[in-house]
Amino acid sequence: MLSGKQRAYLRSIGTNLDAIFQLGKNGIEEGFLNQIEEALEAKEIIKVNVLRNSEYDAREACDEICSRIDAEPIQVIGNKFVIYKKSKKNPRIQLPR
């Protein structure tokens, strides 16, 4: 569980990220979750864009994905959200205490 200070730090990183995934009409399927998990293992923090043709809004998609892959929701703004999961093999982001 992240503290408010850690979440704020991750939000500051997430602000400058470009969305590397788009969630559309195919929804949240296993292949999509696998790609997100691989990206989180490599980068630890990613931004996802939810397209208008998706059955989810950004908050629903963020909550669903985070619960299924055990990631931390960091921020939801408009149709985008940022999630974080510490890398098992190569942690890069040093969280403040």
Side-chain angles (χ1 to χ4, degrees), residues 22-28 32 49-51 53-56:
Q22 294 189 328
L23 177 62
K25 64 181 186 289
N26 293 337
I28 301 170
F32 185 72
N49 184 20
V50 180
L51 301 176
N53 65 357
S54 172
E55 62 191 65
Y56 296 93

Side-chain angles (χ1 to χ4, degrees), residues 17-19 47-50 58-59 75-82:
L17 294 176
D18 291 326
K47 188 180 280 185
V48 180
N49 184 20
V50 180
R59 168 59 64 197
Q75 188 172 37
V76 178
I77 297 182
N79 63 342
K80 293 183 173 78
F81 61 89
V82 178

Side-chain angles (χ1 to χ4, degrees), residues 52-69:
R52 287 199 178 128
N53 65 357
S54 172
E55 62 191 65
Y56 296 93
D57 67 21
R59 168 59 64 197
E60 293 168 336
C62 181
D63 292 345
E64 171 80 15
I65 290 169
C66 287
S67 69
R68 287 177 62 182
I69 65 171

Side-chain angles (χ1 to χ4, degrees), residues 14-15 17 21 24 29 31 37 42 44 47-48 53 55 58 71-72 80 84-85 88 90 92:
T15 303
L17 294 176
F21 289 101
E29 43 192 33
E37 280 198 289
E44 294 187 304
K47 188 180 280 185
V48 180
N53 65 357
E55 62 191 65
E72 291 281 345
K80 293 183 173 78
Y84 167 80
K85 185 174 182 181
K88 292 180 181 89
N90 188 14
R92 294 182 188 177

